[in-house]
Amino acid sequence: MSQKKKANNNKCAHPPLKNDVSWIKQVHESYKDDVSKKKLRIYLQRFVSESEAIDATRQTNGFITDLNIYTTVQANAFLEQMCFDSAVKTRWAYTPNDLAKAAHEAGSDSSDFIKRDYEFALICLSTAACLNKRIAGLSEFKPGAKTKTGRRKQNKSSFRRLDAVFRHLRNALAHGQYLRVVKPDGSVWWALQDANGKGNVTARMLLKEDTLDAWVNLLSLRDKRYRDKS
């Protein structure tokens, strides 16, 4: 790519969202009742201590091994079970700039994103070296592997998306970048955000508490560490 073309691309790039966390302080009573405290403990255990992101914790072996996800088809199926691209409106991004553009287009680039009345997830794909190494070791991506077509076509991005979900969810909870929101109709939602070392937002999610509970149950049913004990 020429220097002129690179300069034009940089000029046209949407500036990344900065990690403004003022929205976290909008509600102060969110975690004082027993139900809220119990929910938070469950999420911290399942999504942080037992995160399925590759090499995120020593408590797990990561989603590839623990959830038996060794192919693109299996990775896509699990994303569908988590309701991404269906109930949870999802935009996948390669860079914080791409994410910021998606947030702007969706009207979710300000602290008012917590007031949305629908579930959404803006997520930068994982690029961790440990993940890339694990993906490269899978049978369908090894040198000489037969190229598949259609729904079975190999796609490393499917694994990067799944790892990104677990990694950003883990980081948001571990770093205190979350907020439990009780809407006027009584429904309970969780706002979550992650950022990189430069302070640029790499994930922003607004999810119903029922959705997070469903993920906890789904992981417990699929995680062979739990099945082996039953």
Side-chain angles (χ1 to χ4, degrees), residues 170-178 193-195:
R170 179 261 176 208
N171 290 346
L173 290 167
H175 300 157
Q177 297 206 151
Y178 58 83
Q193 182 167 290
D194 189 20

Side-chain angles (χ1 to χ4, degrees), residues 14-137:
H14 200 289
L17 292 178
K18 289 302 177 182
N19 193 31
D20 173 20
V21 293
S22 59
W23 53 272
I24 297 176
K25 302 176 183 178
Q26 293 188 34
V27 182
H28 300 281
E29 305 299 321
S30 299
Y31 315 104
K32 293 187 178 181
D33 62 274
D34 290 339
V35 174
S36 299
K37 290 179 180 179
K38 182 179 180 180
K39 289 290 185 182
L40 184 57
R41 284 196 298 269
I42 292 172
Y43 298 159
L44 287 173
Q45 177 182 343
R46 180 67 262 197
F47 299 130
V48 180
S49 296
E50 297 181 353
S51 172
E52 291 297 349
I54 301 299
D55 288 357
T57 172
R58 294 186 179 182
Q59 298 294 319
T60 70
N61 296 308
F63 71 93
I64 292 175
T65 300
D66 289 343
L67 306 182
N68 289 314
I69 297 175
Y70 296 103
T71 67
T72 300
V73 170
Q74 291 170 335
N76 289 336
F78 199 82
L79 285 167
E80 289 179 6
Q81 284 185 285
M82 296 182 79
C83 297
F84 284 103
D85 296 320
S86 56
V88 180
K89 296 182 180 180
T90 313
R91 293 287 295 273
W92 305 102
Y94 287 97
T95 68
N97 301 76
D98 294 337
L99 184 144
K101 181 179 179 181
H104 177 73
E105 292 172 348
S108 300
D109 53 346
S110 71
S111 60
D112 286 342
F113 79 91
I114 65 173
K115 298 178 181 179
R116 293 286 176 269
D117 58 358
Y118 58 87
E119 294 183 282
F120 73 84
L122 304 168
I123 301 177
C124 281
L125 272 62
S126 287
T127 57
C130 56
L131 171 64
N132 292 333
K133 183 177 180 181
R134 291 289 296 277
I135 293 174

